[in-house]
Amino acid sequence: MNKLWALKKSIWVYHVCSGSCNNCDIEILDCLTPKFDLERFGILLVGSVRHADVILATGSITRKALPRIKRVYEQMPKPKLVIAVGGCACSGGIFKNGYNIVGPYDKIIPVTAYIPGCPPKPEAIIDGVVKVINSL
Amino acid sequence: MNRKTIIPIGPYHPLLEEPEFFELEVEGEKVIDIDVHIGYNHRSIEKIAESKTFDQMVFLVERICGICSTSHPIANCNAVEDLVGIEIPERARYIRSIVGELERIHSHLLWAGLAGHFIGYNTLWMWVWKYREPILEIFEAVTGNRNHYAMMIPGGVRRDIKEEDIPVVLKGMDEAERKIEMVTKAVLDDPVLAARLKGVGVLSREDAINYCAVGPTARASGIPIDVRRDEPYAAYGLVNWEIIIREEGDVFAKVVVRLLECFESIKIIRQCLKRLRTVKGEIAAKVKEIPPGEGIGRHEAPRGEVFHYVKSDGSNRPVRLKVRAPTYVNLPTCKATVPGESIADAAIILAAIDPCYCCTERIVTINKRTGKRELNGQDLLRLSRKKTEKICKNMGKRNV
């Protein structure tokens, strides 16, 4: 049986932000508040990556945050899923050529799914997460 | 007694939606010193701006920050218009003010919610964010986007507010006013919030002046400072409104200032919409050529004054862009407010300035303890360190 089957019921997400403009982060929080209310599907934002099934990653990775991102990923229990939220996390976006940018997330850690948009609407984020769950 | 414990908060901490790193030095329950490490979010925007044209630059500075994502474009356009020396059409002035004030409402509500979240009052968080959604829907109707509205260009605005959109916005404002009034009353009457926030993290008037605090942080300490009134731009000189001032300087005063400012914003939006019905015409003046020279632009963002400096050599790209965001000057005030308080209160005091690291971190960060430079920007570093030293001396604190 597929190991990832366990994640299908109620996935807990952890939010990592590095060099983002904060907008994707707000839209992620927006997903949790009454209008969209993801918690009714068992999706919960948790405070520690050790409890999480999925990392929602925003922004393009900066030099200073790079070692922290690697550490956060290592601390996560297996099976690990990473969803890149927003244009910067997918491709580097408008900050791609900056001197302090290491690159988008998939250069550093394996990324499962990409949700493009600047910022993606909450509906798009929900859609992305649902697609990930369906593909497990 | 030399037994100190250092508690790190961050950089990835459930409390913080952005990466930042606070070091609290504590003795027992009491915080005796605090150190801030920033720079996790530095994206080299000022450097990237030099490779963009003046029109593209507006979209880049919009992405400095997602919460105040029209403040930077307004300040930037003001700077370019100052450089070129043109006046924007009157209709564009009103539209700029409308977008700016809508943003202030959504930003203050967002902060109020997060503040509730920080003190473990999740009801307030969910409640306020629910009432923030309609504002975002108005944004979507008027500008086409929930965030990152892309409304500003040098010389005016990109999209007109159509006649049929005006009733939608007005209705939204009526609804928002009712809801915010309800929230404000609830917050002011709540004994838990009063016990938790009153008298906590007091920033005295003197400290606020010494640290050059801006925006609601300064206004809650009794300093009447507001770019919209002091140096009117857009339509702020053409409509009636008041600045909200509180004398107490504690966290509660900051909450009150922000909530009451929402009503002033609603007032401004209503007046602007009324004028939009009569003032017709162009929405953008043509900017033909950008001459060599320099210009400055200011805007009162939800968090305080945003300052942009643009230098041009006559080509279509800026030679230099300098941005000073409000959090950059507000953040050091935690040096004055946090020590002496208990650990439990530290979080809400830090949150009370409404920190926005995305805005702050294009610049420079220093490790104050070792004096080591972690990112570039020497001149600014020297100045900022000097200022810190001066403040430390004035306050009789050890030189960090």
Side-chain angles (χ1 to χ4, degrees):
Chain A
M1 194 182 280
N2 191 342
K3 263 193 281 181
L4 292 172
W5 179 83
L7 298 185
K8 271 190 139 170
K9 285 299 174 198
S10 156
I11 56 172
W12 285 11
V13 297
Y14 179 74
H15 166 215
V16 166
C17 156
S18 157
S20 85
C21 75
N22 211 345
N23 228 335
C24 303
D25 315 63
I26 305 169
E27 295 293 51
I28 288 174
L29 281 181
D30 237 19
C31 294
L32 299 166
T33 49
K35 190 171 177 202
F36 299 101
D37 196 13
L38 280 188
E39 280 187 25
R40 65 201 152 128
F41 302 124
I43 298 176
L44 190 69
L45 191 69
V46 292
S48 166
V49 75
R50 289 172 204 272
H51 304 152
D53 303 312
V54 173
I55 288 182
L56 289 178
T58 60
S60 44
I61 298 178
T62 60
R63 283 184 204 285
K64 194 169 175 183
L66 175 64
R68 306 277 179 171
I69 303 275
K70 281 184 179 158
R71 235 176 98 193
V72 164
Y73 186 71
E74 279 159 15
Q75 286 175 346
M76 191 180 182
K78 285 174 187 169
K80 308 178 184 194
L81 294 179
V82 178
I83 301 178
V85 179
C88 303
C90 296
S91 69
I94 201 165
F95 309 119
K96 199 172 148 197
N97 297 324
Y99 58 78
N100 203 34
I101 302 293
V102 181
Y105 277 85
D106 53 6
K107 259 193 178 173
I108 312 297
I109 51 179
V111 175
T112 322
Y114 301 87
I115 304 173
C118 187
K121 292 176 77 173
E123 290 94 333
I125 297 176
I126 296 169
D127 189 43
V129 175
V130 168
K131 273 187 183 151
V132 170
I133 295 175
N134 284 341
S135 71
L136 292 176
Chain B
M1 260 260 302
N2 203 18
R3 284 180 55 227
K4 280 185 293 192
T5 316
I6 291 179
I7 299 183
I9 305 185
Y12 291 98
H13 188 272
L15 189 71
L16 315 164
E17 54 174 312
E18 299 159 86
E20 61 257 5
F21 187 28
F22 297 104
E23 260 179 28
L24 302 180
E25 241 172 62
V26 296
E27 261 176 19
E29 270 274 290
K30 215 172 109 194
V31 180
I32 53 168
D33 203 357
I34 179 166
D35 206 353
V36 188
H37 299 245
I38 53 175
Y40 293 96
N41 229 344
H42 179 85
R43 286 154 293 162
S44 54
I45 286 176
E46 288 174 9
K47 187 72 191 163
I48 297 175
E50 291 165 19
S51 68
K52 305 276 180 204
T53 65
F54 283 98
D55 278 347
Q56 290 169 337
M57 186 168 66
V58 183
F59 295 95
L60 178 70
V61 296
E62 188 157 37
R63 273 140 188 89
I64 287 177
C65 175
I67 307 179
C68 35
S69 65
T70 209
S71 311
H72 288 283
I74 290 180
N76 194 277
C77 290
N78 281 344
V80 175
E81 284 148 16
D82 180 37
L83 165 64
V84 182
I86 47 164
E87 284 286 316
I88 64 169
E90 202 182 346
R91 195 171 169 84
R93 285 175 182 273
Y94 290 117
I95 297 177
R96 272 192 187 177
S97 285
I98 291 170
V99 178
E101 291 311 305
L102 277 171
E103 181 191 75
R104 195 179 314 279
I105 300 174
H106 114 77
S107 176
H108 282 344
L109 287 181
L110 180 142
W111 178 82
L114 284 182
H117 177 52
F118 288 156
I119 56 170
Y121 210 162
N122 276 343
T123 318
L124 185 67
W125 178 31
M126 293 294 166
W127 210 24
V128 173
W129 277 52
K130 187 177 156 196
Y131 299 140
R132 180 179 155 262
E133 276 308 317
I135 308 279
L136 295 183
E137 272 158 24
I138 293 175
F139 266 130
E140 206 172 349
V142 170
T143 71
N145 252 342
R146 283 165 58 90
N147 316 77
H148 286 331
Y149 325 109
M151 282 290 269
M152 307 301 154
I153 47 165
V157 291
R158 283 180 67 236
R159 287 169 67 120
D160 204 353
I161 294 182
K162 293 188 195 73
E163 187 68 38
E164 62 261 31
D165 283 338
I166 293 177
V168 179
V169 184
L170 279 175
K171 200 175 148 237
M173 285 301 106
D174 289 344
E175 213 149 279
E177 191 177 30
R178 257 202 321 278
K179 303 293 186 199
I180 299 170
E181 208 173 307
M182 194 171 82
V183 172
T184 310
K185 270 186 196 153
V187 167
L188 294 183
D189 290 346
D190 196 309
V192 179
L193 283 177
R196 193 69 173 70
L197 305 178
K198 267 189 187 161
V200 168
V202 178
L203 180 69
S204 67
R205 199 187 147 88
E206 289 69 43
D207 279 344
I209 293 173
N210 281 343
Y211 281 100
C212 304
V214 290
T217 309
R219 289 198 285 274
S221 295
I223 302 172
I225 172 177
D226 195 318
V227 188
R228 291 177 290 170
R229 190 206 52 182
D230 301 339
E231 206 174 287
Y233 55 95
Y236 293 117
L238 309 170
V239 290
N240 296 323
W241 58 281
E242 276 154 30
I243 56 176
I244 308 288
I245 299 164
R246 278 282 174 283
E247 298 293 332
E248 299 89 355
D250 54 1
V251 179
F252 195 75
K254 292 183 178 114
V255 179
V256 175
V257 165
R258 289 207 173 88
L259 285 173
L260 294 183
E261 268 183 15
C262 292
F263 296 111
E264 294 302 316
S265 296
I266 292 173
K267 225 158 95 183
I268 295 175
I269 293 168
R270 280 196 184 128
Q271 294 177 50
C272 287
L273 285 170
K274 207 173 145 202
R275 305 265 174 91
L276 268 192
R277 289 199 153 129
T278 51
V279 179
K280 301 281 178 202
E282 288 288 304
I283 52 164
K286 279 257 172 344
V287 181
K288 286 203 182 96
E289 206 171 285
I290 310 243
E294 29 186 34
I296 59 161
R298 300 156 83 192
H299 171 65
E300 183 77 18
R303 285 154 192 76
E305 177 191 340
V306 173
F307 176 90
H308 276 236
Y309 163 85
V310 178
K311 189 175 178 190
S312 156
D313 62 351
S315 67
N316 63 344
R317 285 158 213 271
V319 187
R320 179 83 174 95
L321 164 73
K322 172 81 192 81
V323 181
R324 195 190 76 162
T327 303
Y328 195 68
V329 280
N330 280 343
L331 191 59
T333 59
C334 69
K335 245 352 209 190
T337 48
V338 175
E341 303 284 348
S342 75
I343 306 171
D345 286 336
I348 184 65
I349 300 171
L350 290 172
I353 62 163
D354 197 356
C356 182
Y357 297 90
C358 304
C359 287
T360 309
E361 301 198 345
R362 302 142 296 88
I363 319 176
V364 61
T365 115
I366 44 169
N367 187 333
K368 287 195 262 172
R369 189 146 300 158
T370 56
K372 204 174 78 195
R373 196 147 50 82
E374 287 173 357
L375 285 171
N376 235 326
Q378 270 172 325
D379 284 343
L380 199 81
L381 168 74
R382 210 181 55 239
L383 287 174
S384 106
R385 205 184 282 160
K386 254 190 203 158
K387 191 171 150 193
T388 317
E389 271 171 15
K390 210 173 96 194
I391 292 165
C392 286
K393 216 183 271 170
N394 286 347
M395 295 174 55
K397 290 239 163 64
R398 84 192 155 86
N399 198 355
V400 282

